[in-house]
């Protein structure tokens, strides 16, 4: 066997020039590398910047060597995104999505050749899907882009670039070198607060006050992704025969799933993005003729007759029936089963249906026993929710539950009456408060 010192690769390496690892990169040079690779705009942030306080631990958890972050913007063409024809809009999303990943990969290649350690987590999919339904994405590109001066989040929570508007996709590259100069957030928000995104969203996910109904968007827009796909598979599994399946899933929905597997999943809406008139390159037609802009861009999306996916009893279901009677609400399951009490507690604020909670004013003390002991307080009041660790204040309902049984109950695999009889779940207070709690989180 060759000794390591005598191995040809080792000998060649030792005879070659020294390989310095640059610890600092010049701003202009890095900017040029990124623009040459195809980015339409770029900004740089150091990992210790305070704007990244809530992102840092997760990034360093995976890549402890990260010193700097490169944030990239790739522009999308506006007219395709605005098209009521979903295939046209989705072609643009997928095409620019791939392009964004390619640009990021090219930059990593250039940096790697120069001895700089760099990684490019995907702009969208694939994600760390084994963590589903917890947070599956590696880096949150939006806060990095905001810190890097590439725009601000509008009422619809997409980043609006000052020039390109929200017609952009984002990527982040993590590097192990310092960047000589940093970018700073822009000092105004390009969002015009016109609320056209609110008017366009078919499921009411975007509220005029900036509240975002995460599950409403996820259930409809992501019908062919993640939990939507799981729910469809379960429809197949539960069907007694072909005609039973057809009574659950319409033919276009079946072939749409085929298309999603063959070509790529199709976003069902993204109308918030389509409707947004903000950004220097975009704003002209809106300012020239607001009524015309509404008629040409927003109304075709609002008037489109289409299926809209909602969970029974959700705020979105009530919204579609009231605002868009010509659209067809299709009741589906969320397809998300929580696997831990930690996930249950962290997902509550995101899954909360504030209109379904109207009139409820209650404090819940949870005590979980068994595999995952935990204590938490949930306060639902004035259509808002607060989740805190431990027991705080006086409880209107105290729920003591075996953690595994509770997760089974949420997944509809365990019956509540069974769990109460066996004392796997115990209540102190009115059971009606538990029913009211359930109404706030339809699944
Ligand atoms: C999760 C996600 C979603 C979720 C949540 C959207 C959201 N507002 O965050 C859903 C499935 C609803 C979604 C939808 C869309 N998305 Co999306 N999405 C992401 C993703 C993977 C992470 C977003 C993120 O950083 N969230 C966390 C914080 C920073 O954002 P936030 O607004 O405060 O968080 C909300 C939710 O994410 C949720 N949340 C936060 N943390 C957690 C943790 C858990 C466990 C859960 C369950 C929820 C949750 O709570 C917040 C309020 O509801 C990014 C890609 C990436 N890796 O960054 C793309 C990204 C944000 N999406 C993008 C796009 C284009 C869309 C859609 C237009 C999809 C489409 N083509 O139809 C819609 C727009 C919906 C909207 N108005 O926001 C672009 C936005 C580009 C831009 N200009 O800003 C991104 C940046 C992808 C990219 N590389 O460009 N998306
Ligand atoms: S549509 Fe109007 S309110 Fe919504 S994000 Fe764009 S500019 Fe802001």
């Amino acid at each position: 066997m060759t000794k390591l010192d005598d191995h040809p690769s080792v000998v060649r390496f030792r005879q070659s020039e020294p390989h310095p690892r640059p610890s600092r990169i010049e701003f202009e040079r890095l900017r040029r590398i990124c623009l040459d690779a195809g980015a339409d705009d770029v900004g740089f942030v150091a990992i210790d910047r305070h704007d990244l306080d809530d992102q840092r631990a997760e990034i360093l958890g995976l890549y402890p060597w990260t010193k700097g972050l490169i944030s990239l913007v790739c522009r999308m063409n506006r007219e395709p995104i605005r098209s009521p024809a979903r295939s046209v809009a989705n072609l643009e999303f997928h095409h620019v999505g791939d392009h964004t990943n390619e640009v990021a990969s090219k930059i990593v290649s250039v940096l790697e050749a120069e001895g700089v350690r760099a990684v490019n987590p995907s702009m969208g999919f694939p994600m760390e899907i084994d963590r589903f339904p917890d947070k599956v994405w590696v880096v949150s590109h939006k806060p990095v882009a905001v810190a890097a001066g590439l725009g601000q989040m509008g009422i619809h929570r997409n980043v609006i670039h000052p020039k390109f508007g929200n017609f952009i996709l984002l990527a982040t590259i993590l590097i192990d070198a310092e960047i000589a100069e940093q970018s700073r957030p822009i000092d105004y928000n390009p969002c015009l607060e016109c609320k056209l995104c609110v008017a366009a969203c078919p499921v009411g996910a975007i509220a005029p006050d900036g509240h975002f109904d995460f599950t409403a968007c996820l259930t409809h827009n992501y019908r062919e992704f993640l939990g939507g796909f799981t729910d469809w598979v379960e429809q197949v599994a539960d069907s007694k025969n072909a005609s039973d399946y057809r009574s659950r899933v319409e033919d276009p929905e079946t072939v749409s799933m085929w298309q999603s597997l063959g070509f790529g999943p199709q976003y069902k809406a993204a109308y918030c993005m389509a409707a947004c008139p903000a950004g220097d390159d975009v704003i002209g037609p809106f300012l020239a003729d607001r009524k015309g802009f509404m008629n040409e861009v927003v109304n075709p999306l609002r008037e489109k007759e289409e299926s809209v996916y909602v969970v029974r009893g959700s705020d979105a279901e009530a919204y579609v029936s009231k605002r868009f009677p010509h659209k067809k609400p299709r009741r589906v399951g969320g397809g998300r089963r929580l696997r831990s009490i930690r996930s249950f507690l962290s997902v509550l604020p995101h899954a909360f249906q504030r209109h379904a909670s109207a009139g409820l004013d209650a404090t819940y003390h949870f005590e979980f026993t068994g595999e995952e002991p935990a204590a938490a307080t949930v306060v639902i009041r004035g259509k808002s929710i607060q989740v805190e660790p431990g027991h705080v204040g006086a409880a209107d309902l105290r729920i003591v539950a075996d953690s595994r049984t509770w997760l089974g109950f949420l997944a509809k695999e365990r019956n509540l009456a069974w769990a109460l009889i066996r004392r796997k779940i115990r209540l102190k207070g009115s059971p009606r408060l538990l029913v009211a709690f359930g109404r706030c989180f339809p699944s």
Side-chain angles (χ1 to χ4, degrees):
M1 233 168 64
T2 336
K3 279 206 299 204
L4 186 60
D5 281 346
D6 300 334
H7 190 283
S9 301
V10 177
V11 172
R12 262 199 314 276
F13 180 82
R14 293 207 169 125
Q15 286 169 351
S16 66
E17 295 289 312
H19 300 265
R21 289 177 74 84
S23 58
R24 202 173 161 84
I25 308 185
E26 287 313 311
F27 182 97
E28 261 318 314
R29 217 176 76 70
L30 189 55
R31 188 176 153 76
R32 190 38 45 219
I33 291 173
C34 296
L35 298 180
D36 287 350
D40 290 303
D41 201 358
V42 62
F44 310 119
V45 202
I47 188 72
D48 54 12
R49 263 265 292 278
H50 74 88
D51 337 32
L52 300 181
D53 282 353
D54 53 354
Q55 310 293 321
R56 192 175 305 111
E58 225 167 321
I59 295 173
L60 293 178
L62 264 176
Y63 300 103
W65 43 258
T66 306
K67 293 198 183 83
L69 295 92
I70 303 174
S71 180
L72 302 177
V73 156
C74 290
R75 218 185 51 74
M76 289 187 287
N77 293 323
R78 291 191 289 280
E79 281 316 311
I81 296 297
R82 287 174 175 160
S83 173
R86 288 296 74 213
S87 62
V88 176
N90 277 302
L91 186 62
E92 186 67 7
F93 274 121
H94 284 302
H95 170 69
V96 180
D98 290 345
H99 172 67
T100 307
N101 283 329
E102 277 159 24
V103 170
S105 165
K106 263 193 215 165
I107 297 166
V108 169
S109 299
V110 175
L111 293 175
E112 196 165 279
E114 298 194 0
V116 178
R117 211 167 171 188
V119 286
N120 52 316
S122 80
M123 78 89 213
F125 292 92
M127 293 191 198
E128 293 308 290
I129 229 67
D130 57 319
R131 294 189 205 153
F132 181 78
D134 286 350
K135 191 174 173 184
V136 286
W137 56 98
V138 170
V139 176
S140 294
H141 302 309
K142 290 190 291 181
V144 182
V146 170
L150 297 176
Q152 294 281 355
M153 278 202 246
I155 284 191
H156 57 9
R157 302 202 71 75
N158 293 308
V159 173
I160 307 176
H161 185 275
K163 181 169 159 56
F164 310 133
N166 72 176
F167 296 92
I168 51 168
L169 292 179
L170 308 171
T172 309
I173 298 172
L174 312 175
I175 63 173
D176 80 342
E178 279 168 20
I179 303 155
E181 210 181 306
Q182 289 191 49
S183 319
R184 298 284 159 191
I186 56 170
D187 59 5
Y188 72 102
N189 192 329
C191 174
L192 309 165
E193 300 191 13
C194 63
K195 319 268 165 74
L196 292 187
C197 50
V198 178
C201 178
V203 287
I206 300 152
D209 63 1
H211 175 82
F212 183 68
D213 185 344
F214 172 79
T215 49
C217 181
L218 193 70
T219 305
H220 174 58
N221 207 16
Y222 273 47
R223 178 63 192 155
E224 293 173 2
F225 301 69
L226 303 169
F229 184 78
T230 312
D231 180 64
W232 173 72
V233 171
E234 290 183 358
Q235 293 300 322
V236 176
D238 280 353
S239 300
K240 289 190 223 59
N241 50 38
S243 65
D244 183 30
Y245 170 78
R246 287 202 293 270
S247 72
R248 296 159 181 256
V249 184
E250 295 181 348
D251 286 350
E253 294 172 324
T254 300
V255 291
S256 191
M257 283 299 177
W258 162 78
Q259 178 169 261
S260 105
L261 295 171
F263 172 75
Q266 304 288 294
Y267 301 101
K268 298 289 177 194
Y271 295 174
C272 53
M273 200 170 230
C276 182
D280 295 355
D281 287 359
V282 189
I283 202 169
F286 170 74
L287 291 182
D289 176 8
R290 288 188 198 195
K291 213 167 153 204
F293 188 87
M294 190 75 190
N295 284 336
E296 268 194 26
V297 176
V298 185
N299 287 344
L301 302 170
R302 287 170 57 84
E303 287 159 9
K304 185 175 177 186
E305 291 180 19
E306 61 188 331
S307 291
V308 175
Y309 297 97
V310 291
V311 169
R312 178 200 286 259
S314 61
D315 288 353
E317 185 178 46
Y319 187 87
V320 180
S321 315
K322 190 167 158 208
R323 297 292 173 98
F324 298 112
H326 54 287
K327 298 197 192 268
K328 191 163 84 175
R330 300 273 294 144
R331 282 181 173 168
V332 292
R336 295 179 294 278
R337 264 172 302 282
L338 298 169
R339 293 188 303 183
S340 69
I341 296 299
R342 190 189 47 76
S343 307
F344 163 68
L345 295 172
S346 70
V347 103
L348 283 178
H350 304 300
F352 180 64
Q353 299 290 287
R354 59 179 182 167
H355 296 300
S357 81
L360 182 59
D361 180 347
T363 299
Y364 298 83
H365 281 180
F366 284 93
E367 187 179 332
F368 295 106
T369 58
E371 274 178 20
E372 205 186 337
T377 302
V378 179
V379 180
I380 298 178
R381 177 172 304 139
K383 292 193 182 176
S384 74
I385 180 167
Q386 233 186 317
V387 183
E388 283 185 69
H391 289 158
V392 185
D396 298 298
L397 180 65
R398 185 177 156 82
I399 301 152
V400 182
D402 166 61
S403 42
R404 190 182 267 265
T405 308
W406 182 255
L407 295 173
F409 162 59
L410 296 178
K412 302 185 178 96
E413 288 161 359
R414 285 256 189 269
N415 178 288
L416 181 62
W418 174 91
L420 289 170
I421 292 166
R422 302 216 159 193
R423 296 184 61 73
K424 293 273 189 188
I425 297 179
R426 284 172 288 147
L427 305 179
K428 194 172 169 205
S430 167
R432 264 183 298 191
L433 284 178
L434 186 59
V435 176
F437 183 88
R439 269 203 298 272
C440 303
F441 308 97
S443 60

